[in-house]
Amino acid sequence: ETGVTQTPRHLVMGMTNKKSLKCEQHLGHNAMYWYKQSAKKPLELMFVYSLEERVENNSVPSRFSPECPNSSHLFLHLHTLQPEDSALYLCASSRYGVGGDTGELFFGEGSRLTVL
Amino acid sequence: DAKTTQPNSMESNEEEPVHLPCNHSTISGTDYIHWYRQLPSQGPEYVIHGLTSNVNNRMASLAIAEDRKSSTLILHRATLRDAAVYYCIPASGGSNYKLTFGKGTLLTVNP
């Protein structure tokens, strides 16, 4: 139990569907992240929010839309996805930024997305 | 971001020490060296990090070369639960929010 909870754990959707992934952290952290992990590829950073402001958008297609309504919750809204978007989507949080001596990332267990 | 080189895979026996190497020859002077691991079907978890001096915690030890161009993660007594992909990640401090994961090293622990 890392203190970062992701729902749903598994999601199957068609290319025309609209769905959302939810992440909640109970650690009092200020920064939240979305990472994507495709089969046989390294984790890719998608979005970073710090104090509810987006500070990083790593050239992610607009069919992925993040939302951070408060420092404890992060959503990833999905619409008109492609089969190649099938992957494990991981949420993480940190007290401040990462790197240096500013602390560590805490990851959720991920949401396994399959796009048909 | 500093480039890292890690072996694709390593094998160990249970209760034996494991030394996981990482080369990061382009590391900058302000980069800390972070290690994470990812167990099967789980998100990554933090293991340890350091700047120049060797570091120890309850999970592992981190040995950093004097020139900082390489480091070694040491698991003192491997258990089956240590079987995972281990990632070495140099990252600078300040307001940096990027932790860039590479392919890591897949550690297999034999009973």
Side-chain angles (χ1 to χ4, degrees), chain A residues 35 37 50 56 98 101 105, chain B residues 36 38 49 96-99:
Chain A
Y35 277 85
Q37 188 169 35
S50 173
E56 181 89 22
V98 293
D101 205 21
L105 278 179
Chain B
Y36 281 74
Q38 187 172 17
H49 75 286
N96 180 37
Y97 288 92
K98 264 190 177 175
L99 214 57

Side-chain angles (χ1 to χ4, degrees), chain B:
Chain B
D1 295 342
K3 285 198 124 183
T4 60
T5 304
Q6 297 180 255
N8 289 332
S9 62
M10 291 184 64
E11 214 169 307
S12 171
N13 296 319
E14 208 175 1
E15 298 194 6
E16 289 184 359
V18 183
H19 290 235
L20 296 158
C22 180
N23 270 304
H24 31 76
S25 56
T26 60
I27 193 169
S28 81
T30 56
D31 283 354
Y32 279 67
I33 300 150
H34 299 251
W35 283 81
Y36 281 74
R37 72 180 186 182
Q38 187 172 17
L39 280 64
S41 303
Q42 293 189 27
E45 66 173 339
Y46 168 83
V47 178
I48 199 167
H49 75 286
L51 183 62
T52 55
S53 306
N54 294 344
V55 185
N56 301 296
N57 67 19
R58 62 174 180 80
M59 287 180 72
S61 296
L62 176 59
I64 301 171
E66 203 169 320
D67 63 6
R68 298 200 344 112
K69 293 184 177 181
S70 65
S71 61
T72 302
L73 181 71
I74 302 164
L75 307 178
H76 295 285
R77 290 183 67 192
T79 68
L80 297 178
R81 200 198 168 274
D82 291 322
V85 179
Y86 286 79
Y87 302 97
C88 159
I89 311 169
S92 60
S95 61
N96 180 37
Y97 288 92
K98 264 190 177 175
L99 214 57
T100 303
F101 288 75
K103 295 182 181 178
T105 297
L106 174 63
L107 175 66
T108 302
V109 180
N110 300 314

Side-chain angles (χ1 to χ4, degrees), chain A residues 4-91:
Chain A
V4 179
T5 305
Q6 291 187 243
T7 53
R9 294 292 313 279
H10 299 271
L11 178 63
V12 179
M13 60 187 288
M15 290 194 288
T16 57
N17 290 159
K18 287 185 182 180
K19 297 284 185 183
S20 296
L21 306 180
K22 179 183 175 183
C23 176
E24 186 173 357
Q25 57 98 357
H26 310 277
L27 302 167
H29 287 171
N30 294 315
M32 296 188 76
Y33 309 74
W34 280 116
Y35 277 85
K36 175 184 177 182
Q37 188 169 35
S38 305
K40 299 182 181 178
K41 288 175 77 173
L43 277 83
E44 301 170 60
L45 179 64
M46 299 176 73
F47 301 104
V48 182
Y49 277 82
S50 173
L51 297 171
E52 299 142 52
E53 272 194 46
R54 192 187 310 178
V55 296
E56 181 89 22
N57 178 349
N58 217 19
S59 303
V60 180
S62 59
R63 56 186 184 269
F64 295 92
S65 175
E67 180 190 1
C68 187
N70 55 62
S71 59
S72 299
H73 293 87
L74 184 65
F75 294 88
L76 188 63
H77 303 299
L78 316 168
H79 61 99
T80 59
L81 294 192
Q82 306 297 313
E84 58 264 30
D85 297 321
S86 299
L88 181 68
Y89 289 85
L90 289 156
C91 173

